[in-house]
Amino acid sequence: MTKPTNPKTFHVKSFGCQMNVYDGERMAELMAAQGLTATDDANAADLVVLNTCHIREKATEKVYSDIGRLRKHGKDPMIAVAGCVAQAEGVEIAHRAKVDIVVGPQAYHNLPDLVAKASRGELGLDTDMPVLSKFGALPARRKVGPTAFLTVQEGCDKFCTYCVVPYTRGAEISRQWDALVDEAKALVDAGAKEITLLGQNVNAWSDGDRDLGALIRELDRIPGLARIRYTTSHPNDMTDGLIAAHRDVEKLMPFLHLPVQAGNDRILKAMNRSHSRDSYLRILDRVRTARPDIALSGDFIVGFPGETEAEFADTLSLIDEVGYAQAFSFKYSPRPGTPAADMDGQIAPEVMDDRLQRLQAALNRDQAAFNAASVGRTCQVLIERRGKLPGQMLGKSPWLQSIHLITDAQVGDLVEVEIVSAGPNSLAGIERVRVAA
Ligand code: 5AD
Ligand code: SF4
């Protein structure tokens, strides 16, 4: 089969974080606006966009195995590598994997030009990082589900020593107030009931002297928008204004994802986290004072170079102290070009495995306890999709728990639900009242 030029169908596959999911949706909207038809089957598409993640080694490897699979089972499609692997490896990936297009996270608005270039048999390469020109060049949002993402901030200036994000996503930039308010309104007009504000350091968002708390207060005024969330945050950017928004804005859901990575001060310093165990705990105290029922989530890395058993035990004790409702945890993965990759004391894989297992046991225990404590609570659930059983619908509680219930409510409805039982990953509810959104 010959490689399609001027592709008619496309498939976008996103790996990694929610920001990549957002970028993937915007790329799909862009291709659709060019007249291409989306297909769910990557093997049937003329153009496949792999929207990649570079955060850990395994995530990067997945890209190469996906390209191999597409070559074997697909119709020899035009392949575009987008996302952070594209940014980090640039032209290298075109040579190594013989792909047609390499486009970075700040350049994907140029995808139509790159597809045209690839159709002429040339390599479509764009890994430039112009500040913010991407968003203005993308088509307007038209149809979205009840929950939608909105990127408000990109990039990172924090330079944690293990992390590639400052290199792949560039410096911290904030989108402007007006553009964000307009996009949020367009999302609500397109069907969104809940908006999650996204950024690598979302709470570093600012426009002049307005912080994320001010933006949340503005979005609170949009009729038809029922819920606001934001992710991912850095402890040092939890401003007073944002904490006060948790106290005052009812639409702001009582959930905070605030990564800490480790519970030991020497490790936090080696990671260049620029906060201590204690300062992190003090921030949580302030947030809990503002919003006592807030559910907390975090990210953890085990086996950072030089981490001793006693230092790891400090992470376990931090988890005990906080009581997370849910969390993500990872084995340290050395990333090329980051300072930690060259540090002494890289930890043996079996030690990492053992620590990750113990960490996850503690996190699972706390998640189960949080869910069990929800039984008997009445809360609103936003219905997101159908379940497997007849009449069953799935949605989320304010605390981001997955809830299943039997109801004739439709996707996008808000239902008042009593939580009646808790399993390890989801809870069962009974409908009490239908709530007008
Ligand atoms: N190794 C393991 N985990 C990492 N993360 C970031 N970089 C690495 C790495 N090199 C984790 C952090 C971060 C989350 C998005 O991914 O916990 O918060
Ligand atoms: Fe992966 Fe981070 Fe890039 Fe998201 S920003 S795709 S998590 S490397």
mmCIF file of all heavy atoms in Angstrom, residues 260 262-265 276-285 288 296 300 313-325 362-363 365-366:
data_model
loop_
_atom_site.group_PDB
_atom_site.id
_atom_site.type_symbol
_atom_site.label_atom_id
_atom_site.label_comp_id
_atom_site.label_asym_id
_atom_site.label_seq_id
_atom_site.Cartn_x
_atom_site.Cartn_y
_atom_site.Cartn_z
ATOM 1 N N VAL A 260 3.513 16.591 46.333
ATOM 2 C CA VAL A 260 4.581 16.888 47.295
ATOM 3 C C VAL A 260 5.840 16.101 46.943
ATOM 4 O O VAL A 260 6.941 16.526 47.253
ATOM 5 C CB VAL A 260 4.111 16.613 48.747
ATOM 6 C CG1 VAL A 260 3.761 15.152 48.954
ATOM 7 C CG2 VAL A 260 5.132 17.064 49.774
ATOM 8 N N ALA A 262 7.785 13.891 48.019
ATOM 9 C CA ALA A 262 8.514 13.173 49.068
ATOM 10 C C ALA A 262 8.267 13.850 50.405
ATOM 11 O O ALA A 262 7.875 15.019 50.451
ATOM 12 C CB ALA A 262 10.015 13.168 48.753
ATOM 13 N N GLY A 263 8.516 13.108 51.483
ATOM 14 C CA GLY A 263 8.234 13.649 52.812
ATOM 15 C C GLY A 263 9.473 13.991 53.613
ATOM 16 O O GLY A 263 9.377 14.315 54.795
ATOM 17 N N ASN A 264 10.636 13.919 52.960
ATOM 18 C CA ASN A 264 11.887 14.154 53.690
ATOM 19 C C ASN A 264 12.572 15.423 53.169
ATOM 20 O O ASN A 264 12.716 15.594 51.955
ATOM 21 C CB ASN A 264 12.808 12.938 53.493
ATOM 22 C CG ASN A 264 14.191 13.185 54.053
ATOM 23 O OD1 ASN A 264 15.058 13.718 53.360
ATOM 24 N ND2 ASN A 264 14.386 12.837 55.319
ATOM 25 N N ASP A 265 13.003 16.268 54.076
ATOM 26 C CA ASP A 265 13.531 17.580 53.658
ATOM 27 C C ASP A 265 14.818 17.495 52.844
ATOM 28 O O ASP A 265 15.032 18.293 51.937
ATOM 29 C CB ASP A 265 13.748 18.478 54.887
ATOM 30 C CG ASP A 265 12.428 19.082 55.358
ATOM 31 O OD1 ASP A 265 11.470 19.110 54.553
ATOM 32 O OD2 ASP A 265 12.351 19.513 56.523
ATOM 33 N N SER A 276 9.390 22.772 52.027
ATOM 34 C CA SER A 276 9.782 21.715 52.960
ATOM 35 C C SER A 276 8.550 20.875 53.296
ATOM 36 O O SER A 276 7.426 21.230 52.919
ATOM 37 C CB SER A 276 10.352 22.325 54.241
ATOM 38 O OG SER A 276 9.326 23.063 54.886
ATOM 39 N N ARG A 277 8.781 19.802 54.012
ATOM 40 C CA ARG A 277 7.662 18.990 54.486
ATOM 41 C C ARG A 277 6.717 19.862 55.322
ATOM 42 O O ARG A 277 5.504 19.841 55.149
ATOM 43 C CB ARG A 277 8.247 17.849 55.338
ATOM 44 C CG ARG A 277 7.225 16.995 56.056
ATOM 45 C CD ARG A 277 7.936 16.127 57.092
ATOM 46 N NE ARG A 277 6.979 15.327 57.824
ATOM 47 C CZ ARG A 277 6.761 14.034 57.639
ATOM 48 N NH1 ARG A 277 7.453 13.371 56.736
ATOM 49 N NH2 ARG A 277 5.877 13.377 58.348
ATOM 50 N N ASP A 278 7.336 20.644 56.199
ATOM 51 C CA ASP A 278 6.527 21.440 57.111
ATOM 52 C C ASP A 278 5.749 22.550 56.409
ATOM 53 O O ASP A 278 4.577 22.780 56.709
ATOM 54 C CB ASP A 278 7.478 22.045 58.153
ATOM 55 C CG ASP A 278 6.756 22.195 59.446
ATOM 56 O OD1 ASP A 278 6.208 21.173 59.906
ATOM 57 O OD2 ASP A 278 6.691 23.339 59.953
ATOM 58 N N SER A 279 6.412 23.216 55.456
ATOM 59 C CA SER A 279 5.696 24.315 54.784
ATOM 60 C C SER A 279 4.538 23.747 53.962
ATOM 61 O O SER A 279 3.472 24.358 53.859
ATOM 62 C CB SER A 279 6.629 25.171 53.925
ATOM 63 O OG SER A 279 7.156 24.441 52.848
ATOM 64 N N TYR A 280 4.734 22.548 53.396
ATOM 65 C CA TYR A 280 3.642 21.887 52.665
ATOM 66 C C TYR A 280 2.474 21.601 53.613
ATOM 67 O O TYR A 280 1.318 21.899 53.319
ATOM 68 C CB TYR A 280 4.168 20.593 52.035
ATOM 69 C CG TYR A 280 3.122 19.740 51.339
ATOM 70 C CD1 TYR A 280 2.704 20.036 50.045
ATOM 71 C CD2 TYR A 280 2.569 18.616 51.969
ATOM 72 C CE1 TYR A 280 1.754 19.251 49.385
ATOM 73 C CE2 TYR A 280 1.618 17.828 51.325
ATOM 74 C CZ TYR A 280 1.215 18.147 50.040
ATOM 75 O OH TYR A 280 0.276 17.369 49.405
ATOM 76 N N LEU A 281 2.785 21.045 54.773
ATOM 77 C CA LEU A 281 1.715 20.717 55.724
ATOM 78 C C LEU A 281 0.984 21.966 56.205
ATOM 79 O O LEU A 281 -0.232 21.959 56.392
ATOM 80 C CB LEU A 281 2.292 19.940 56.918
ATOM 81 C CG LEU A 281 2.735 18.496 56.598
ATOM 82 C CD1 LEU A 281 3.518 17.906 57.765
ATOM 83 C CD2 LEU A 281 1.532 17.627 56.253
ATOM 84 N N ARG A 282 1.741 23.058 56.349
ATOM 85 C CA ARG A 282 1.093 24.309 56.797
ATOM 86 C C ARG A 282 0.129 24.841 55.735
ATOM 87 O O ARG A 282 -0.935 25.363 56.050
ATOM 88 C CB ARG A 282 2.142 25.358 57.163
ATOM 89 C CG ARG A 282 2.733 25.146 58.573
ATOM 90 C CD ARG A 282 3.322 26.436 59.130
ATOM 91 N NE ARG A 282 4.236 27.055 58.173
ATOM 92 C CZ ARG A 282 5.540 26.789 58.083
ATOM 93 N NH1 ARG A 282 6.098 25.919 58.918
ATOM 94 N NH2 ARG A 282 6.295 27.395 57.193
ATOM 95 N N ILE A 283 0.511 24.679 54.449
ATOM 96 C CA ILE A 283 -0.397 25.109 53.365
ATOM 97 C C ILE A 283 -1.683 24.277 53.424
ATOM 98 O O ILE A 283 -2.794 24.808 53.322
ATOM 99 C CB ILE A 283 0.286 24.964 51.985
ATOM 100 C CG1 ILE A 283 1.438 25.954 51.870
ATOM 101 C CG2 ILE A 283 -0.714 25.181 50.839
ATOM 102 C CD1 ILE A 283 2.448 25.613 50.802
ATOM 103 N N LEU A 284 -1.529 22.970 53.625
ATOM 104 C CA LEU A 284 -2.730 22.125 53.711
ATOM 105 C C LEU A 284 -3.612 22.546 54.884
ATOM 106 O O LEU A 284 -4.847 22.536 54.771
ATOM 107 C CB LEU A 284 -2.352 20.648 53.850
ATOM 108 C CG LEU A 284 -1.678 20.001 52.636
ATOM 109 C CD1 LEU A 284 -1.557 18.498 52.846
ATOM 110 C CD2 LEU A 284 -2.419 20.301 51.337
ATOM 111 N N ASP A 285 -2.992 22.936 55.980
ATOM 112 C CA ASP A 285 -3.785 23.402 57.133
ATOM 113 C C ASP A 285 -4.637 24.601 56.742
ATOM 114 O O ASP A 285 -5.812 24.693 57.100
ATOM 115 C CB ASP A 285 -2.864 23.842 58.288
ATOM 116 C CG ASP A 285 -2.323 22.653 59.054
ATOM 117 O OD1 ASP A 285 -2.868 21.543 58.867
ATOM 118 O OD2 ASP A 285 -1.337 22.829 59.803
ATOM 119 N N ARG A 288 -7.453 23.579 54.482
ATOM 120 C CA ARG A 288 -8.495 22.855 55.233
ATOM 121 C C ARG A 288 -9.308 23.781 56.120
ATOM 122 O O ARG A 288 -10.486 23.539 56.356
ATOM 123 C CB ARG A 288 -7.855 21.743 56.069
ATOM 124 C CG ARG A 288 -7.620 20.487 55.242
ATOM 125 C CD ARG A 288 -7.016 19.386 56.079
ATOM 126 N NE ARG A 288 -7.225 18.085 55.464
ATOM 127 C CZ ARG A 288 -6.376 17.074 55.582
ATOM 128 N NH1 ARG A 288 -5.269 17.204 56.291
ATOM 129 N NH2 ARG A 288 -6.634 15.922 55.006
ATOM 130 N N LEU A 296 -7.945 15.653 49.431
ATOM 131 C CA LEU A 296 -6.593 15.951 48.972
ATOM 132 C C LEU A 296 -6.025 14.823 48.132
ATOM 133 O O LEU A 296 -6.295 13.645 48.376
ATOM 134 C CB LEU A 296 -5.684 16.207 50.171
ATOM 135 C CG LEU A 296 -6.091 17.433 50.989
ATOM 136 C CD1 LEU A 296 -5.328 17.469 52.302
ATOM 137 C CD2 LEU A 296 -5.858 18.713 50.190
ATOM 138 N N PHE A 300 3.694 11.280 44.109
ATOM 139 C CA PHE A 300 4.868 10.838 44.873
ATOM 140 C C PHE A 300 5.864 10.150 43.961
ATOM 141 O O PHE A 300 5.475 9.446 43.034
ATOM 142 C CB PHE A 300 4.440 9.847 45.969
ATOM 143 C CG PHE A 300 3.538 10.472 46.983
ATOM 144 C CD1 PHE A 300 2.164 10.453 46.815
ATOM 145 C CD2 PHE A 300 4.071 11.122 48.087
ATOM 146 C CE1 PHE A 300 1.318 11.063 47.731
ATOM 147 C CE2 PHE A 300 3.239 11.741 49.011
ATOM 148 C CZ PHE A 300 1.871 11.704 48.835
ATOM 149 N N ALA A 313 10.887 6.386 54.646
ATOM 150 C CA ALA A 313 9.914 6.255 55.749
ATOM 151 C C ALA A 313 9.261 7.600 56.066
ATOM 152 O O ALA A 313 8.103 7.654 56.495
ATOM 153 C CB ALA A 313 10.599 5.672 56.986
ATOM 154 N N ASP A 314 9.993 8.697 55.829
ATOM 155 C CA ASP A 314 9.401 10.029 56.040
ATOM 156 C C ASP A 314 8.255 10.287 55.059
ATOM 157 O O ASP A 314 7.294 10.997 55.387
ATOM 158 C CB ASP A 314 10.453 11.129 55.885
ATOM 159 C CG ASP A 314 11.390 11.192 57.093
ATOM 160 O OD1 ASP A 314 11.025 10.641 58.149
ATOM 161 O OD2 ASP A 314 12.479 11.785 56.960
ATOM 162 N N THR A 315 8.366 9.742 53.846
ATOM 163 C CA THR A 315 7.251 9.891 52.896
ATOM 164 C C THR A 315 6.035 9.120 53.401
ATOM 165 O O THR A 315 4.903 9.619 53.359
ATOM 166 C CB THR A 315 7.670 9.406 51.490
ATOM 167 O OG1 THR A 315 8.803 10.162 51.070
ATOM 168 C CG2 THR A 315 6.550 9.583 50.478
ATOM 169 N N LEU A 316 6.279 7.918 53.916
ATOM 170 C CA LEU A 316 5.159 7.136 54.467
ATOM 171 C C LEU A 316 4.500 7.870 55.635
ATOM 172 O O LEU A 316 3.270 7.899 55.750
ATOM 173 C CB LEU A 316 5.643 5.753 54.930
ATOM 174 C CG LEU A 316 6.094 4.777 53.828
ATOM 175 C CD1 LEU A 316 6.615 3.484 54.443
ATOM 176 C CD2 LEU A 316 4.967 4.491 52.838
ATOM 177 N N SER A 317 5.321 8.489 56.477
ATOM 178 C CA SER A 317 4.723 9.158 57.651
ATOM 179 C C SER A 317 3.968 10.424 57.223
ATOM 180 O O SER A 317 2.964 10.790 57.835
ATOM 181 C CB SER A 317 5.777 9.452 58.725
ATOM 182 O OG SER A 317 6.530 10.578 58.370
ATOM 183 N N LEU A 318 4.439 11.074 56.163
ATOM 184 C CA LEU A 318 3.700 12.239 55.642
ATOM 185 C C LEU A 318 2.322 11.793 55.154
ATOM 186 O O LEU A 318 1.306 12.452 55.405
ATOM 187 C CB LEU A 318 4.476 12.897 54.504
ATOM 188 C CG LEU A 318 3.743 14.064 53.834
ATOM 189 C CD1 LEU A 318 3.967 15.359 54.605
ATOM 190 C CD2 LEU A 318 4.158 14.266 52.390
ATOM 191 N N ILE A 319 2.304 10.658 54.449
ATOM 192 C CA ILE A 319 1.027 10.136 53.948
ATOM 193 C C ILE A 319 0.078 9.853 55.117
ATOM 194 O O ILE A 319 -1.107 10.210 55.078
ATOM 195 C CB ILE A 319 1.283 8.880 53.077
ATOM 196 C CG1 ILE A 319 1.914 9.309 51.753
ATOM 197 C CG2 ILE A 319 0.014 8.062 52.857
ATOM 198 C CD1 ILE A 319 2.467 8.190 50.919
ATOM 199 N N ASP A 320 0.629 9.265 56.176
ATOM 200 C CA ASP A 320 -0.200 9.003 57.366
ATOM 201 C C ASP A 320 -0.749 10.309 57.930
ATOM 202 O O ASP A 320 -1.895 10.383 58.370
ATOM 203 C CB ASP A 320 0.637 8.335 58.473
ATOM 204 C CG ASP A 320 0.946 6.884 58.135
ATOM 205 O OD1 ASP A 320 0.320 6.353 57.196
ATOM 206 O OD2 ASP A 320 1.833 6.301 58.794
ATOM 207 N N GLU A 321 0.100 11.331 57.930
ATOM 208 C CA GLU A 321 -0.293 12.594 58.539
ATOM 209 C C GLU A 321 -1.382 13.295 57.726
ATOM 210 O O GLU A 321 -2.293 13.896 58.300
ATOM 211 C CB GLU A 321 0.952 13.493 58.645
ATOM 212 C CG GLU A 321 0.880 14.467 59.775
ATOM 213 C CD GLU A 321 2.245 15.121 60.043
ATOM 214 O OE1 GLU A 321 3.305 14.471 59.861
ATOM 215 O OE2 GLU A 321 2.225 16.302 60.428
ATOM 216 N N VAL A 322 -1.278 13.216 56.391
ATOM 217 C CA VAL A 322 -2.216 13.974 55.539
ATOM 218 C C VAL A 322 -3.537 13.225 55.350
ATOM 219 O O VAL A 322 -4.616 13.807 55.452
ATOM 220 C CB VAL A 322 -1.585 14.288 54.168
ATOM 221 C CG1 VAL A 322 -2.611 14.898 53.214
ATOM 222 C CG2 VAL A 322 -0.387 15.228 54.338
ATOM 223 N N GLY A 323 -3.465 11.929 55.056
ATOM 224 C CA GLY A 323 -4.679 11.175 54.745
ATOM 225 C C GLY A 323 -5.242 11.577 53.390
ATOM 226 O O GLY A 323 -6.241 12.286 53.282
ATOM 227 N N TYR A 324 -4.584 11.134 52.317
ATOM 228 C CA TYR A 324 -5.012 11.510 50.960
ATOM 229 C C TYR A 324 -6.255 10.730 50.542
ATOM 230 O O TYR A 324 -6.385 9.545 50.853
ATOM 231 C CB TYR A 324 -3.893 11.227 49.949
ATOM 232 C CG TYR A 324 -2.733 12.182 50.086
ATOM 233 C CD1 TYR A 324 -1.637 11.869 50.905
ATOM 234 C CD2 TYR A 324 -2.721 13.393 49.423
ATOM 235 C CE1 TYR A 324 -0.570 12.736 51.040
ATOM 236 C CE2 TYR A 324 -1.657 14.274 49.552
ATOM 237 C CZ TYR A 324 -0.591 13.941 50.351
ATOM 238 O OH TYR A 324 0.456 14.800 50.499
ATOM 239 N N ALA A 325 -7.136 11.416 49.808
ATOM 240 C CA ALA A 325 -8.318 10.747 49.255
ATOM 241 C C ALA A 325 -7.952 9.908 48.037
ATOM 242 O O ALA A 325 -8.629 8.943 47.703
ATOM 243 C CB ALA A 325 -9.366 11.788 48.871
ATOM 244 N N ALA A 362 -0.126 2.034 51.402
ATOM 245 C CA ALA A 362 -0.566 3.101 52.321
ATOM 246 C C ALA A 362 -1.596 4.000 51.644
ATOM 247 O O ALA A 362 -2.615 4.367 52.244
ATOM 248 C CB ALA A 362 0.639 3.924 52.780
ATOM 249 N N LEU A 363 -1.347 4.356 50.372
ATOM 250 C CA LEU A 363 -2.273 5.238 49.660
ATOM 251 C C LEU A 363 -3.613 4.543 49.428
ATOM 252 O O LEU A 363 -4.671 5.163 49.569
ATOM 253 C CB LEU A 363 -1.665 5.689 48.326
ATOM 254 C CG LEU A 363 -0.450 6.633 48.445
ATOM 255 C CD1 LEU A 363 0.239 6.796 47.089
ATOM 256 C CD2 LEU A 363 -0.851 7.996 49.001
ATOM 257 N N ARG A 365 -4.903 2.198 51.234
ATOM 258 C CA ARG A 365 -5.581 2.120 52.547
ATOM 259 C C ARG A 365 -6.319 3.434 52.826
ATOM 260 O O ARG A 365 -7.487 3.432 53.210
ATOM 261 C CB ARG A 365 -4.501 1.843 53.615
ATOM 262 C CG ARG A 365 -4.962 1.876 55.051
ATOM 263 C CD ARG A 365 -3.779 2.167 55.972
ATOM 264 N NE ARG A 365 -3.254 3.516 55.740
ATOM 265 C CZ ARG A 365 -2.009 3.914 56.017
ATOM 266 N NH1 ARG A 365 -1.129 3.075 56.536
ATOM 267 N NH2 ARG A 365 -1.630 5.154 55.791
ATOM 268 N N ASP A 366 -5.641 4.553 52.566
ATOM 269 C CA ASP A 366 -6.263 5.854 52.856
ATOM 270 C C ASP A 366 -7.412 6.144 51.903
ATOM 271 O O ASP A 366 -8.421 6.732 52.303
ATOM 272 C CB ASP A 366 -5.226 6.980 52.775
ATOM 273 C CG ASP A 366 -4.268 6.925 53.958
ATOM 274 O OD1 ASP A 366 -4.473 6.080 54.859
ATOM 275 O OD2 ASP A 366 -3.306 7.714 53.984
#
